[in-house]
Amino acid sequence: MIRVYPDPETASHAAARSVVRWAGEAIEDHGSFGLALAGGSTPRRLYELLATDYSTEIPWRHVHLYWGDERCVPPDDDRSNYGMVRTVLLDHVPVPPAGVHRIRGELGPERAAAEYERVLAQAISLDLVLLGMGTDGHTASLFPGQLDLTDPRTVRGVSAPAGVEPRDRVTLTLRGLEAFTAALFLVTGREKRDVVEAARSTAPSAEIPASCVSPARETTWIVDRAAAGETV
Ligand code: 6PG
């Protein structure tokens, strides 16, 4: 399902409302909400909204946060996906420390991936994974040309293509992403227009890793008009 909003701000609000709805349903159904967060710049506003306008609508003490991918840098590095979430969201909402399951990228790709595979295996519930998409169709740190559709692992260390910094990363695999009940992509901007069009119009293709994510219940794409290719 794709939902188109006028601009990044209204798309971010729509994504925040989806997170609130999923949190409520998951907690009512099984007492906890397992949410995986995306890196990159697009979801920053969504995290700000969750920390402000929507913060009282989420029962944070029942929330467990995971990450779809991480760069192999220390948590206080500017490029850390966890670090961004800490500054924008975690410092402002009462998620218990036991509910924050970060990928320890500083251990290096292989050790951090092995550790995080155990973390995911112990999760109480994996409900919603938030994802973004790069202009090349990558999602989390699953890059075109590197996608192994049959990888039995849920997490792996990867080296991003040359030019994508930092290159050393840890990512959930397709299997790891699809361990979540649902996926929510948030994609905005004119520069993503062609790849959004390609992801929507072709059958799942390893050349567009984002098109291959297909969790049990649903995949929703929230995009702005520019990314949808509509005239703005
Ligand atoms: C990361 C991501 C990555 C991101 C896309 C889009 O850690 O880099 O998780 O998959 O979502 O690269 O990034 P932007 O939102 O910055 O375009």
Side-chain angles (χ1 to χ4, degrees):
M1 185 198 341
I2 182 156
R3 287 158 41 195
V4 183
Y5 292 86
D7 50 37
E9 181 67 9
T10 50
S12 298
H13 275 272
R17 288 194 299 272
S18 283
V19 171
V20 168
R21 181 175 60 80
W22 270 96
E25 286 180 14
I27 292 165
E28 192 181 321
D29 184 62
H30 45 262
S32 71
F33 176 47
L35 172 69
L37 300 172
S41 55
T42 310
R44 192 183 175 95
R45 179 64 181 144
L46 162 62
Y47 303 153
E48 272 173 14
L49 290 171
L50 293 177
T52 54
D53 296 21
Y54 298 89
S55 70
T56 58
E57 295 182 49
I58 296 179
W60 293 102
R61 67 184 188 284
H62 299 300
V63 172
H64 285 263
L65 295 177
Y66 300 89
W67 273 259
D69 72 332
E70 185 55 278
R71 294 92 182 266
C72 289
V73 296
D76 55 0
D77 188 289
D78 285 348
R79 298 164 297 174
S80 165
N81 286 342
Y82 162 79
M84 188 268 273
V85 172
R86 185 178 57 191
T87 312
V88 177
L89 178 63
L90 299 179
D91 285 351
H92 312 282
V93 295
V95 188
V100 179
H101 308 276
R102 77 174 178 91
I103 300 173
R104 294 203 298 155
E106 68 274 24
L107 298 179
E110 301 312 324
R111 278 185 63 203
E115 179 183 91
Y116 210 62
E117 188 143 36
R118 292 191 291 273
V119 169
L120 276 192
Q122 287 164 11
I124 307 169
S125 71
L126 298 174
D127 298 296
L128 180 66
V129 55
L130 294 175
L131 291 166
M133 178 170 66
T135 51
D136 61 353
H138 82 262
T139 192
S141 286
L142 298 171
F143 291 91
Q146 296 186 351
L147 192 64
D148 178 355
L149 297 169
T150 61
D151 195 337
R153 293 169 291 183
T154 55
V155 187
R156 58 173 296 201
V158 292
S159 177
V164 180
E165 297 295 337
R167 293 189 69 183
D168 281 351
R169 291 164 179 237
V170 177
T171 185
L172 270 60
T173 61
L174 278 183
R175 187 158 174 247
L177 297 175
E178 290 173 359
F180 287 76
T181 303
L184 177 63
F185 282 89
L186 177 61
V187 181
T188 62
R190 194 170 182 280
E191 68 283 7
K192 305 271 176 80
R193 184 184 55 180
D194 292 347
V195 72
V196 167
E197 165 73 19
R200 289 176 61 194
S201 59
T202 56
S205 152
E207 288 314 303
I208 306 175
S211 72
C212 298
V213 180
S214 176
R217 191 150 128 201
E218 65 185 44
T219 301
T220 303
W221 289 73
I222 290 181
V223 305
D224 70 349
R225 277 192 198 140
E230 294 180 8
T231 315
V232 285

